[in-house]
């Protein structure tokens, strides 16, 4: 079968002398960077850089305008009703910690409980775990069904009048299936429970509408969307920002300070103390433009087709086993174990062939323990992959098994 990426040439790393014949199958960890994004960052840094939101001179005012324009575009991308609902952070991890310490910490008591799912990345577990430990609250874990998605009916049984927060991923990083987050968020809203969605993995599928989902918070990282690291986003539903306190304080977030007290700004800027990571924000905006120009419809149609091919070819290998039963939807990633061969050995052997996959617990140790395993191999797709990558993976896995299986 021939599935060829029309976008591969947009990514300069495939022409890098240092990585000839790169087969990159780790986009769930980070997406590679299109030239257009790198160029936008280079041009900004060379020709337009200044501090934003501070200077009154033209160069600085222009940078402020760029950052606020990026905020507007991200609001549009997420289906948010206002740019004032968009906070720039350093990534999903910071976004989730921000919710924890700016908001949830002001509400939590020893009676409270917080619900997460069994599949969460440590970024969407540790902030809640620590708060619960600190305040004597309880952390409840919603199980997954056989298809690896959150079991709504089981989750509902964990909810009671002391449930403060439900923090779940739209799509988890090891399993990759989409959770019924709309159903969960709507139920939570009807019961006055706050919801936080970790969108780190889902964001590269586009088509997000936070209004429609009815979530309170939505977090994602720019580098999972073909942008740079160092820039992320937290959507905070209108009305919540006013109730939140900055968890990190410093320059740029106040309207009045004396030696003894401060009065903070009201909008998202109150969480963006210090100097903005403007070059990364510019990169994220360029990534959005790049993806919009291709169109989400074309991106998803391509990746679904490629993913279908990947699932089919991997299913032909009787010596590898997906860590959860496959459902009918085709996620862009596949996590598995190989009979009698350690996951790290699989990844190291593939690396010799120039094939980059992830092996380990993928920052989801409790999930692996729940599944009764300590590690898995994960392959994940991006815009630059095509059928030759999958064919090379299949050959690499077959060779690895032949060489390393212990009889
Ligand atoms: N949540 C999920 C589901 C993720 O996949 C990741 C990144 N692997 C994160 C959170 C954390 O993202 P970041 O490291 O960009 O903060």
């Amino acid at each position: 079968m021939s599935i060829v990426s029309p976008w591969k040439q947009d990514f300069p790393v495939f022409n890098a002398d240092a990585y000839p014949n790169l087969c990159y199958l780790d986009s769930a960890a980070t997406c590679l960077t299109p030239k257009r994004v790198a160029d936008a960052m280079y041009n900004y840094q060379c020709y337009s850089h200044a501090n934003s939101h501070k200077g009154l001179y033209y160069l600085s005012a222009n940078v402020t305008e760029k950052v606020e324009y990026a905020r507007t575009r991200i609001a549009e991308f997420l289906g948010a009703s206002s740019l004032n609902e968009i906070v720039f952070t350093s990534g999903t991890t910071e976004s989730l910690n921000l919710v924890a310490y700016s908001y949830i910490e002001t509400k939590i008591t020893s009676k409270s409980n917080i619900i997460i799912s069994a599949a969460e990345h440590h970024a969407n577990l540790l902030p809640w775990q620590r708060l619960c430990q600190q305040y004597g609250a309880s952390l409840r874990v919603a199980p997954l069904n056989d298809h690896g998605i959150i079991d709504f009916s089981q989750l509902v049984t964990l909810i009671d009048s002391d449930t403060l927060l439900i923090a779940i991923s739209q799509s988890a990083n090891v399993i990759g299936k989409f959770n019924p987050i709309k159903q969960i968020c709507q139920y939570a809203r009807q019961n006055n429970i706050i919801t936080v969605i970790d969108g780190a993995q889902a964001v590269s599928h586009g088509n997000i509408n936070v209004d429609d989902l009815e979530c309170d918070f939505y977090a994602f990282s720019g580098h999972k969307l073909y942008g740079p690291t160092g820039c992320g986003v937290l959507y905070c539903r209108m009305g919540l920002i006013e109730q939140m306190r900055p968890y990190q304080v410093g320059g740029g977030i106040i309207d009045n300070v004396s030696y003894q007290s401060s009065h903070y700004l009201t909008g998202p800027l109150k969480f963006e103390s210090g100097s903005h990571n403007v070059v990364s924000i510019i990169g994220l905006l360029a990534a959005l433009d790049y993806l919009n120009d291709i169109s989400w419809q074309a991106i998803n149609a391509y990746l679904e087709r490629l993913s279908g091919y990947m699932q089919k070819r991997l299913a032909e290998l009787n010596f590898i086993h997906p860590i959860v039963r496959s459902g009918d939807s085709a996620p862009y990633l596949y996590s598995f174990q190989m009979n009698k061969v350690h996951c790290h050995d699989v990844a190291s052997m593939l690396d010799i062939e120039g094939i980059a996959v992830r092996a380990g617990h993928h920052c989801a140790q409790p999930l692996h323990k729940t599944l009764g395993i300590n590690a898995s191999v994960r392959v994940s797709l991006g815009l630059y992959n095509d059928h030759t990558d999958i064919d090379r993976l299949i050959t690499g896995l077959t060779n690895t098994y032949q060489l390393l299986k212990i009889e």
Side-chain angles (χ1 to χ4, degrees):
M1 185 186 283
S2 174
I3 307 174
V4 178
S5 166
W7 307 295
K8 187 167 181 171
Q9 76 273 11
D10 299 343
F11 293 80
V13 68
F14 293 109
N15 297 320
D17 292 339
Y19 312 106
N21 233 357
L22 173 67
C23 172
Y24 186 78
L25 291 169
D26 197 19
S27 295
T30 197
C31 297
L32 300 178
T33 307
K35 183 167 186 305
R36 194 161 145 186
V37 169
D39 282 349
M41 294 173 74
Y42 176 85
N43 285 328
Y44 164 76
Q45 201 65 40
C46 288
Y47 305 115
S48 312
H49 176 65
N51 214 334
S52 69
H53 298 87
K54 311 259 183 337
L56 294 178
Y57 50 90
Y58 178 67
L59 188 64
S60 173
N62 203 15
V63 177
T64 307
E65 219 170 89
K66 284 183 168 54
V67 171
E68 293 309 314
Y69 175 65
R71 206 188 297 277
T72 313
R73 292 288 308 284
I74 287 158
E76 265 168 40
F77 170 65
L78 291 178
S81 48
S82 157
L83 80 165
N84 289 323
E85 296 177 309
I86 305 300
V87 179
F88 285 117
T89 64
S90 62
T92 309
T93 302
E94 191 188 11
S95 297
L96 294 168
N97 276 277
L98 199 161
V99 179
Y101 295 104
S102 294
Y103 192 51
I104 300 302
E105 192 176 22
T106 65
K107 307 235 165 232
I108 197 166
T109 69
S110 58
K111 277 176 64 192
S112 311
N113 65 75
I114 290 176
I115 300 176
I116 58 166
S117 91
E120 297 310 316
H121 187 282
H122 296 168
N124 196 29
L125 158 62
L126 301 190
W128 320 122
Q129 184 189 76
R130 189 156 81 167
L131 274 185
C132 285
Q133 284 169 350
Q134 212 174 326
Y135 290 88
S138 65
L139 188 65
R140 299 180 176 173
V141 182
L144 310 179
N145 65 19
D146 288 348
H147 296 280
I149 61 173
I150 299 172
D151 192 323
F152 178 70
S153 57
Q154 296 258 22
L155 181 141
V156 166
T157 64
L158 301 177
I159 294 175
D160 61 27
S161 56
D162 293 317
T163 303
L164 174 62
L165 167 75
I166 300 177
I168 47 173
S169 49
Q170 185 168 9
S171 156
N173 67 319
V174 181
I175 295 174
K177 303 268 181 79
F178 274 66
N179 287 312
I181 55 163
K182 182 169 174 176
Q183 192 182 19
I184 295 169
C185 290
Q186 283 179 344
Y187 187 88
R189 186 162 291 179
Q190 283 155 13
N191 290 281
N192 292 320
I193 298 165
I194 304 155
T195 48
V196 177
I197 303 300
D198 172 351
Q201 290 298 330
V203 71
S204 62
H205 298 238
N207 301 322
I208 299 158
N209 189 311
V210 286
D211 254 4
D212 183 53
L213 290 175
E214 297 192 31
C215 60
D216 293 316
F217 297 98
Y218 190 100
F220 78 88
S221 306
H223 69 106
K224 309 273 190 189
L225 195 64
Y226 302 89
T229 50
C231 170
V233 167
L234 177 67
Y235 157 81
C236 306
R237 184 171 58 78
M238 191 65 90
L240 289 175
I241 287 192
E242 293 70 25
Q243 300 173 42
M244 294 163 69
R245 60 179 188 201
Y247 87 106
Q248 175 175 277
V249 290
I253 67 168
I254 49 78
D255 58 21
N256 192 5
V257 180
S258 71
Y259 284 117
Q260 305 305 334
S261 67
S262 308
H263 190 261
Y264 299 115
L265 296 173
T266 48
L269 282 175
K270 80 174 173 190
F271 301 113
E272 298 171 3
S273 57
S275 301
H276 283 94
N277 187 348
V278 182
V279 69
S280 283
I281 294 171
I282 296 293
L284 175 55
L285 181 60
L288 264 185
D289 285 338
Y290 172 72
L291 297 168
N292 282 339
D293 285 353
I294 294 175
S295 95
W296 285 103
Q297 201 188 1
I299 293 169
N300 287 322
Y302 179 78
L303 286 176
E304 258 163 49
R305 194 159 158 247
L306 187 62
S307 185
Y309 179 64
M310 173 175 77
Q311 314 271 336
K312 181 176 146 294
R313 294 295 318 271
L314 286 168
E316 288 163 3
L317 305 183
N318 61 6
F319 50 87
I320 70 160
H321 307 286
I323 62 165
V324 289
R325 209 173 88 192
S326 288
D328 14 64
S329 70
Y332 306 162
L333 62 82
Y334 192 100
S335 298
F336 60 90
Q337 289 198 308
M338 184 182 281
N339 281 353
K340 302 175 181 171
V341 183
H342 194 279
C343 294
H344 288 169
D345 293 334
V346 175
S348 301
M349 289 295 288
L350 292 176
D351 182 46
I352 295 170
E353 313 270 329
I355 304 169
V357 300
R358 179 91 186 264
H361 55 66
H362 319 297
C363 298
Q365 253 187 37
L367 170 69
H368 283 82
K369 287 181 188 156
T370 303
L371 295 170
I373 54 180
N374 54 17
S376 56
V377 181
R378 181 184 70 187
V379 294
S380 51
L381 302 175
L383 281 176
Y384 22 73
N385 293 122
D386 56 29
H387 76 275
T388 59
D389 293 320
I390 309 299
D391 295 343
R392 282 177 64 191
L393 172 71
I394 300 296
T395 308
L397 289 171
T398 309
N399 293 342
T400 300
Y401 181 65
Q402 291 307 332
L403 211 68
L404 295 189
K405 69 181 167 175
I406 306 155
E407 296 296 352

